[in-house]
Amino acid sequence: MRRRIMLLLALGLSFPALAEHPLIGKLWRLSEQRFVSEAELFAQLPTDGWLLLGEQHDNPHHHQLQRHWIASLADRGQLGAVALEMATTVQQPLLDQALMRGSTTTPDSLNWNAGWSWALYADVVRLSLDRAPAVIGTDLPREQQRSVYREGAPSDDMGELHANYMRRLLFESHCGQLPKDSLEGMRQVQLARDQQMAERLDQAQLKALSGVMLTGTIHARNDLGIPLWLEKPAVTVLLTSVQEGRHEPYDYLPESYPGAPVAADYLLFTDAIAERDYCAELQSSHRKTESSGS
C-alpha cells in the first residue's frame, strides 16, 4: 500500500483518488489475466523494440504517467528513442536540434502543431529531449494526409471486418456528423498514418534498448493500429481511465471485430477527468457556422 501511495504522489495524483476507485495505478496483463508490477513489465520489454503507450490525448494523468515511465526507463539505462504521434516527419530536423536542450525548448522552436496542447505535452517532450538518445516525429504531414484521402493508403490488406469496424469507429468518434461518403477516405488516412508511424519505428536505431511510442489509443491497439504494420517487436499498454461502478479489469476489455488480435498486452488504469460533451460542442459549432452564413 505504501508503495502505491508513493507512486501516486510522485505522479501528482491524489491519495483520495486511490480510495475512490480500486483499479487506479494498477497494471493488468491480458494474456495471464493478472496484475503485474511496473518493474515486471520493464523487465519483459523487448530490446530493439517498442513500448507503445496508448493515451487519451486530453487526460493529464496519462501524460504524468508517460513522464514517470520515460524517466524510470532512463534511470534503468533501458530507454531508447521516444517517438511521437504529435510530431510529423518534417519536424525531425528541429527535434534533432533540440536534443539535450529540452529545458529551453519552446513550441515555436519545434514548429509545434497548436492542435496538440503544448500545456499538456511540454513536460513529456522536454523530458524526452533531455533523456532519450533520439526523439522521432512519426506522423504524416497534413499535405500527405490530404493526398491519401484522395488516392488511398500505400497498403490496405487488413480485410473487410477490420475496414467496417474502422469506418464505424470513425463515424461514432465524430458524433455521427460525418457524411458517410467521407468515411472511406478518412479510413485510408488512418491506415496511411499507422503505416507511416510503423515505418518510422522500424527505421529507428534502438541499439538494444526499448523505445517508447506516445500515441492515441486506437493507433496503439494491436488489432487496429500501428502493431499491424510493425516489424520490430512491441508491447502495447493502453492507459485506461477508470469509470464509476466498473471495478474489475474485465469491465474494460476493448471491443473489436471477429477474429481480431487481442487489442493490447496491458491495461494501465488511471484516474479519469471530467467528461466533456464533444458532440454537443461540435453541434454548437455547426449551428454557429450555419447562422453566420459561412
Side-chain angles (χ1 to χ4, degrees):
M1 173 66 76
R2 182 178 182 274
R3 183 178 177 185
R4 290 168 66 192
I5 294 171
M6 294 305 295
L7 173 60
L8 287 167
L9 292 175
L11 295 173
L13 304 181
S14 61
F15 175 71
L18 178 64
E20 290 166 6
H21 201 289
L23 288 179
I24 290 175
K26 291 186 176 181
L27 182 62
W28 176 259
R29 186 170 186 176
L30 276 73
S31 63
E32 298 177 358
Q33 299 185 22
R34 68 182 180 93
F35 293 112
V36 300
S37 68
E38 175 187 290
E40 186 176 352
L41 168 64
F42 287 175
Q44 296 174 351
L45 290 180
T47 54
D48 199 31
W50 288 91
L51 168 62
L52 276 66
L53 295 180
E55 66 176 36
Q56 178 185 332
H57 297 310
D58 61 350
N59 189 329
H61 301 282
H62 292 188
H63 302 300
Q64 291 167 345
L65 281 161
Q66 289 165 350
R67 294 199 307 274
H68 171 68
W69 277 23
I70 288 170
S72 296
L73 287 169
D75 290 343
R76 291 166 60 100
Q78 193 175 350
L79 180 64
V82 174
L84 306 173
E85 175 198 345
M86 306 83 204
T88 69
T89 55
V90 299
Q91 292 170 266
Q92 192 60 54
L94 300 176
L95 291 166
D96 292 342
Q97 292 169 20
L99 272 181
M100 307 309 297
R101 293 190 289 178
S103 61
T104 60
T105 296
T106 66
D108 288 342
S109 69
L110 297 178
N111 194 23
W112 190 259
N113 183 341
W116 300 104
S117 168
W118 183 248
L120 286 173
Y121 286 97
D123 287 347
V124 71
V125 171
R126 286 171 170 156
L127 174 68
S128 300
L129 288 168
D130 278 340
R131 304 212 60 185
V135 176
I136 302 171
T138 63
D139 203 4
L140 285 174
R142 185 64 63 183
E143 300 75 23
Q144 287 182 252
Q145 293 189 34
R146 292 193 194 99
S147 175
V148 167
Y149 183 90
R150 298 188 301 269
E151 301 171 13
S155 301
D156 184 5
D157 57 1
M158 289 296 106
E160 198 57 27
L161 290 174
H162 176 278
N164 286 336
Y165 192 76
M166 286 304 302
R167 292 186 194 104
R168 193 185 95 190
L169 278 182
L170 288 165
F171 187 70
E172 292 175 353
S173 67
H174 289 79
C175 310
Q177 301 295 306
L178 290 174
K180 294 207 171 177
D181 60 5
S182 71
L183 291 176
E184 181 56 22
M186 294 187 67
R187 186 180 77 88
Q188 292 297 323
V189 171
Q190 188 84 358
L191 283 171
R193 294 179 66 209
D194 287 333
Q195 292 163 21
Q196 170 69 53
M197 289 189 274
E199 181 177 347
R200 292 286 285 166
L201 299 189
D202 282 331
Q203 292 171 344
Q205 299 299 313
L206 296 176
K207 301 178 181 177
L209 298 171
S210 301
V212 178
M213 172 74 185
L214 307 183
T215 187
T217 296
I218 300 302
H219 291 297
R221 281 178 53 162
N222 296 334
D223 55 337
L224 299 177
I226 295 167
L228 290 173
W229 310 97
L230 190 63
E231 295 181 4
K232 286 190 174 181
V235 168
T236 291
V237 177
L238 301 185
L239 306 182
T240 304
S241 302
V242 297
Q243 298 179 27
E244 185 178 353
R246 301 175 69 186
H247 293 161
E248 298 296 332
Y250 308 102
D251 296 333
Y252 296 87
L253 299 180
E255 295 181 0
S256 193
Y257 53 94
V262 176
D265 301 301
Y266 297 86
L267 302 179
L268 177 57
F269 295 101
T270 77
D271 206 349
I273 58 173
E275 291 187 10
R276 286 177 58 183
D277 192 340
Y278 288 101
C279 292
E281 292 176 20
L282 182 61
Q283 291 169 355
S284 175
S285 175
H286 286 171
R287 285 194 295 269
K288 289 178 182 177
T289 299
E290 290 169 359
S291 65
S292 68
S294 55

